[in-house]
Amino acid sequence: MTNMSRARVARRIAAGAAYGGGGIGLVGAAAVGLVLAEVRMAQAAVHNGHSGGRVPTADGRYGIGYDAAGEPPLRLTMLGDSTAAGQGVHRAAQTPGALLASGLAAVAERPVDLTNVALPGAQSDDLDRQVALVLAAGSPVPDVCVIMIGANDVTRRMPPTRSVRHLSAAVRRLRTAGAEVVVGTCPDLGTIEPVRQPLRWLARRASRQLAAAQTIGTVEQGGRTVSLGDLLGPEFAANPRELFGPDNYHPSAEGYATAAMAVLPTVCAALGLWPAEEERPDVTRREGFLPVARAAAEAAAEAGTEVTAAMPTGPRGPWALLKRRRRQQVEPLPSDQAAGEARSRAGTAE
């Protein structure tokens, strides 16, 4: 499917989400059924693998060495599904939340308080509950929220309009409360090892269509998106046992680190912490201002691409800035130190 075709589909899904339209199929019903069967086989491996379903608790303060600066801690909250929670690894420091918190602390030179309300297995309709937890009376509003959601919506056949509607509502509530929001869009399910050809391309198509529609919904509510897409695809093809965890479904520690380092620059940019020269579009990297639907389609096709609102609505709808940020290496806290600094509210971090 071309980017223009994907843009049209994403625009229809987003419009249906905004105006209460019915379900618009990602792919034909029979094809989705086949993909669903294949991916359920992959999900079964999660329960038969070695991860045991346990998710390390990484909540706590990171970068405590920066307390001397006198600045209050930044507040980072993770929402979403098992990818946001960090299922598939054994140590708190290996979860994406911990990696983002320690990286953000290093960039900001301020401590970061991490809270994670993500739920393994969650679909987008669970974001209503998660946002309520985040914005509970008496709780401080996070400075930035990172949402990773969508894979379960595809595998469980949630209508994409409903999926995007819940995500858009979550972004709107968090932005209204004063939090910056970064959404890691639906990953490419075609990279899951047990999903074989010819069904793998169907899984990829469905994932990218949802990711593009998620981008439109998020940007229209004032958030930013980062395409997770096939971020792990080339690495997975070259070394699947390293980049995917023991269950071959959730990322390994190295896989989560790859995803976190793609999201970190956008988190920093949302908080005004990224270098000013990086905020200007670079035409040599094919960055620039595009209608939001086209930007969403291009981002869905290229992992690590950021989309953020840029201009008021014009004749062709709202516009967005598409950026292909360089994956600059930010030295996070050493894993052992980060794990030790994560003072869990629910118990030990390990």
Side-chain angles (χ1 to χ4, degrees):
M1 176 179 286
T2 67
N3 285 342
M4 291 302 294
S5 297
R6 189 177 297 114
R8 287 193 294 270
V9 173
R11 194 182 298 113
R12 292 204 310 271
I13 294 171
Y19 299 109
I24 300 175
L26 291 172
V27 291
V32 171
L34 290 172
V35 172
L36 181 62
E38 287 286 331
V39 176
R40 279 179 175 168
M41 290 174 59
Q43 291 176 318
V46 174
H47 305 291
N48 296 327
H50 303 290
S51 65
R54 177 182 177 273
V55 179
T57 302
D59 288 21
R61 181 164 296 179
Y62 292 76
I64 58 175
Y66 296 114
D67 275 334
E71 295 283 347
L74 291 169
R75 295 181 295 273
L76 166 66
T77 298
M78 302 290 296
L79 305 90
D81 55 24
S82 57
T83 304
Q87 186 171 0
V89 295
H90 298 288
R91 304 181 63 187
Q94 298 170 330
T95 63
L99 293 165
L100 285 171
S102 57
L104 179 58
V107 172
E109 297 186 346
R110 289 171 62 181
V112 174
D113 284 344
L114 171 67
T115 303
N116 197 324
V117 298
L119 178 67
Q123 297 175 250
S124 291
D125 54 4
D126 192 59
L127 290 175
D128 300 346
R129 180 191 64 84
Q130 294 182 29
V131 171
L133 290 176
V134 174
L135 301 181
S139 300
V141 176
D143 293 291
V144 60
C145 295
V146 175
I147 303 173
M148 296 179 177
I149 199 85
N152 295 319
D153 296 4
V154 174
T155 62
R156 298 177 189 174
R157 303 176 68 178
M158 175 181 282
T161 51
R162 181 182 171 200
S163 174
V164 174
R165 188 179 302 125
H166 283 292
L167 175 61
S168 298
V171 175
R172 180 170 60 251
R173 290 172 64 190
L174 293 170
R175 293 290 292 129
T176 300
E180 297 292 337
V181 180
V182 176
V183 174
T185 56
C186 181
D188 183 357
L189 297 178
T191 62
I192 300 171
E193 189 177 57
V195 178
R196 300 178 297 275
Q197 295 290 14
L199 301 180
R200 184 171 293 182
W201 77 268
L202 292 173
R204 173 168 289 117
R205 180 185 178 191
S207 303
R208 288 185 176 184
Q209 285 180 1
L210 180 57
Q214 288 177 318
T215 296
I216 295 174
T218 297
V219 169
E220 289 182 344
Q221 298 302 327
R224 301 180 184 225
T225 63
V226 178
S227 171
L228 298 183
D230 60 350
L231 186 66
L232 304 179
E235 295 93 338
F236 174 62
N239 197 354
R241 300 305 176 192
E242 181 179 343
L243 264 295
F244 273 64
D247 57 30
N248 293 327
Y249 186 81
H250 294 100
S252 67
E254 291 81 4
Y256 278 130
T258 300
M261 288 306 101
V263 173
L264 178 61
T266 300
V267 170
C268 294
L271 294 172
L273 299 172
W274 215 237
E277 59 270 18
E278 277 290 310
E279 296 310 292
R280 293 189 290 270
D282 185 342
V283 295
T284 65
R285 300 206 300 258
R286 296 178 293 116
E287 298 180 346
F289 300 98
L290 297 168
V292 66
R294 182 178 164 192
E298 291 202 13
E302 184 175 341
T305 304
E306 174 191 315
V307 180
T308 186
M311 300 179 185
T313 299
R316 291 196 289 171
W319 284 63
L321 172 60
L322 182 145
K323 290 190 65 63
R324 296 174 170 89
R325 294 187 182 276
R326 295 187 182 94
R327 294 185 202 167
Q328 300 185 8
Q329 292 300 315
V330 179
E331 290 295 330
L333 300 173
S335 58
D336 289 343
Q337 181 183 356
E341 288 184 8
R343 299 194 295 271
S344 169
R345 298 182 181 88
T348 61
E350 294 295 332

